[in-house]
Amino acid sequence: MQNVIEIDSLTKNYGKHRGVTDVSFEVGEGDIFGFLGPNGAGKSTTIRSMLGFIRFQAGRIRILGKDICKDKEAILSEIGYMPSESMFYPAMKVKEIIQMAADVRKQDCRREAEKLCERLQVDIDKKISDLSLGNRKKVGIVCAMQHRPKLFVFDEPTSGLDPLMQSEFFKLIQEYVAEGATCMLSTHVLSEIKSYCRNAAIMKEGKLQCVDSVANLTRTNAKRVKLLREGKRESYIYEGDINELLQKLAGYDIEDILIEEPSLDEIFMRFY
């Protein structure tokens, strides 16, 4: 399996403001790759560098086997990108925006656009100014997907979408990936990473914390312990031998106890 994204020692500084430092990771063909981190972690800076929207001071980025600094136009023709906030001309109708996005790429995307609009319940006759945030998001998704690119890059795509549309969005991604596409999903929604991504990178304060399979990232021996003793409720994370925990608890007068897997948030918080 070849790599669709190769980032080597990427460094981008904004003077006094934080950028990214020495970021390196790879995304294999056919992967749904999660790019995780809180706001300000450096996710969008990394993506904008990948797409050639901003210049970086050091490092090397190859997308689909090409260097972004030398072959930007060829690379972007094969990418479907959706920023975290899509800006459209407010007076234009949805169908005009979708057609304009296709015209920019000099492609006839009408059949695919029609399918996407039906699946996502997009009203193509409405003006952009009359759309809610969620409906503007759906227009952005159609514009990013309608030309069936080899690589999808989504930056916080599901904010504003209702649960039904979120589910339909991920069904579409899985369908395109099954047909040979690759997807990079930047998000801070942990459940999306767990449910849909195979591998993930975690960013913190402009630096890469780790890159691994989602299965490894979420594997833990820790347990969430909730108990009631002497009328007081206690809750804590225990990491260690479960038999030792039971021996320790045996010395207490416990009225009620629950030992369960920690939440996804608690698992990922160890990286922060």
Side-chain angles (χ1 to χ4, degrees), residues 254-271:
I254 296 174
E255 301 168 50
D256 194 12
I257 186 169
L258 174 66
I259 301 176
E260 60 184 356
E261 296 295 319
S263 71
L264 192 60
D265 293 57
E266 289 170 326
I267 292 172
F268 275 97
M269 277 305 294
R270 72 182 190 270
F271 294 105

Side-chain angles (χ1 to χ4, degrees), residues 168-187:
E168 194 63 37
F169 167 72
F170 282 110
K171 284 180 184 176
L172 285 165
I173 285 181
Q174 290 171 323
E175 289 170 16
Y176 285 121
V177 167
E179 294 172 2
T182 302
C183 179
M184 180 174 179
L185 176 70
S186 174
T187 182

Side-chain angles (χ1 to χ4, degrees), residues 33-269:
F33 186 86
F35 199 38
L36 182 66
N39 292 333
K43 304 191 303 298
S44 292
T45 294
T46 302
I47 288 173
R48 289 168 186 157
S49 299
M50 278 174 45
L51 301 177
F53 296 165
I54 57 177
R55 294 183 178 181
F56 45 93
Q57 282 85 12
R60 185 168 179 250
I61 299 176
R62 291 182 64 82
I63 310 291
L64 296 165
K66 299 179 177 68
D67 190 302
I68 190 60
C69 296
K70 299 175 182 177
D71 302 301
K72 176 180 173 181
E73 187 173 338
I75 290 171
L76 293 182
S77 70
E78 302 286 358
I79 291 178
Y81 168 59
M82 179 183 170
S84 56
E85 295 183 12
S86 298
M87 304 297 291
F88 302 114
Y89 294 111
M92 292 181 70
K93 291 184 177 180
V94 169
K95 60 185 177 184
E96 294 171 336
I97 291 291
I98 293 172
Q99 184 60 52
M100 184 174 69
D103 290 343
V104 167
R105 294 184 177 278
K106 300 178 181 179
Q107 293 188 35
D108 183 354
C109 305
R110 285 174 293 182
R111 181 177 295 181
E112 199 70 17
E114 184 177 341
K115 180 192 83 171
L116 290 165
C117 287
E118 182 178 344
R119 295 275 296 272
L120 296 170
Q121 299 177 17
V122 176
D123 186 343
I124 63 173
D125 291 314
K126 278 196 171 184
K127 285 187 175 182
I128 294 295
S129 58
D130 295 331
L131 299 183
S132 65
L133 170 62
N135 282 321
R136 289 199 303 273
K137 282 279 187 178
K138 290 192 285 187
V139 176
I141 292 169
V142 174
C143 290
M145 287 184 156
Q146 65 175 339
H147 60 294
R148 300 181 64 88
K150 293 180 180 177
L151 172 63
F152 294 108
V153 180
F154 292 106
D155 195 352
E156 306 291 350
T158 59
S159 61
L161 294 182
D162 64 50
L164 181 64
M165 287 299 104
Q166 290 180 21
S167 176
E168 194 63 37
F169 167 72
F170 282 110
K171 284 180 184 176
L172 285 165
I173 285 181
Q174 290 171 323
E175 289 170 16
Y176 285 121
V177 167
E179 294 172 2
T182 302
C183 179
M184 180 174 179
L185 176 70
S186 174
T187 182
H188 56 254
V189 182
L190 300 178
S191 59
E192 293 179 352
I193 298 289
K194 179 69 181 292
S195 299
Y196 301 107
C197 297
R198 302 174 194 171
N199 301 289
I202 298 178
M203 294 286 291
K204 174 188 175 183
E205 297 177 354
K207 295 182 179 180
L208 191 67
Q209 298 299 294
C210 65
V211 183
D212 207 338
S213 69
V214 172
N216 286 339
L217 291 172
T218 56
R219 186 179 294 122
T220 177
N221 293 324
K223 300 294 181 184
R224 163 61 67 182
V225 180
K226 298 178 181 178
L227 56 87
L228 176 65
R229 66 186 179 102
E230 299 176 359
K232 295 182 180 180
R233 296 191 179 275
E234 301 177 16
S235 179
Y236 56 87
I237 294 288
Y238 177 82
E239 296 190 63
D241 190 318
I242 191 70
N243 293 300
E244 291 182 11
L245 171 64
L246 295 176
Q247 289 176 6
K248 291 177 183 178
L249 294 175
Y252 295 105
D253 182 15
I254 296 174
E255 301 168 50
D256 194 12
I257 186 169
L258 174 66
I259 301 176
E260 60 184 356
E261 296 295 319
S263 71
L264 192 60
D265 293 57
E266 289 170 326
I267 292 172
F268 275 97
M269 277 305 294

